[in-house]
Amino acid sequence: MSPDLKPGITHRFTYTVPQNKTVPHLYPEFAEFRDMPGVFATGFLVGLMEGACQLAIKPYLNWPVEQSVGTHVDFSHLAATPPGLMVTVDCEVIAVDGRKVRFRARAHDGHDLISEGIHERMVIDAARFNDRLAAKRPPSAG
């Protein structure tokens, strides 16, 4: 992890919402989702916000040896976004405490502020993380 990873780093990411990122496509196991409006799903929005934060710090990591995993999300979902609109996520590193990185993030769809909040990521050694994960897997899970 670079010593240059510190508060003040910003990143902007844009994404056009496709049909398959709407509520009816979230967890096909839940029939209730299929009956809901075709708007950008909160679950996919959270993933987009996390991804933008990950990209903000990637240049400061020894990628792919070092990576980051999400450890906390606190995002609002303020307005509905139909497919076809472009969502812009702006994020900023607001704190670095050892391997823990805290972000402030906001998303806008060109009409409304659709999300804002705080996110935390932990910088990991990917090999060590994967070794620990392998120890948790049931024998039948491969």
Side-chain angles (χ1 to χ4, degrees):
M1 190 168 87
S2 169
D4 293 331
L5 176 52
K6 51 184 132 189
I9 292 168
T10 61
H11 186 71
R12 174 173 277 182
F13 186 79
T14 57
Y15 179 78
T16 301
V17 177
Q19 186 69 37
N20 70 353
K21 296 297 186 261
T22 61
V23 177
H25 297 276
L26 186 68
Y27 282 103
E29 298 85 356
F30 292 97
E32 295 78 8
F33 283 153
R34 290 192 299 269
D35 295 332
M36 294 182 69
V39 296
F40 196 26
T42 303
F44 291 124
L45 173 61
V46 168
L48 182 66
M49 304 277 281
E50 278 198 81
C53 292
Q54 180 178 27
L55 290 175
I57 64 171
K58 184 179 174 186
Y60 302 90
L61 304 180
N62 180 19
W63 190 273
V65 174
E66 291 179 316
Q67 298 179 15
S68 69
V69 294
T71 56
H72 182 83
V73 293
D74 184 6
F75 295 130
S76 59
H77 194 166
L78 304 168
T81 301
L85 288 187
M86 183 181 298
V87 172
T88 301
V89 178
D90 287 298
C91 61
E92 178 181 4
V93 173
I94 58 172
V96 179
D97 182 11
R99 296 180 303 118
K100 182 169 46 172
V101 184
R102 188 172 176 91
F103 301 84
R104 180 179 303 112
R106 297 168 52 93
H108 199 282
D109 68 8
H111 296 271
D112 296 304
L113 176 67
I114 63 168
S115 183
E116 61 184 345
I118 300 296
H119 177 46
E120 289 180 358
R121 300 190 69 76
M122 186 68 69
V123 176
I124 60 161
D125 175 291
R128 191 166 48 217
F129 184 90
N130 287 329
D131 287 346
R132 286 188 196 143
L133 187 61
K136 289 180 76 170
R137 283 195 180 98
S140 63

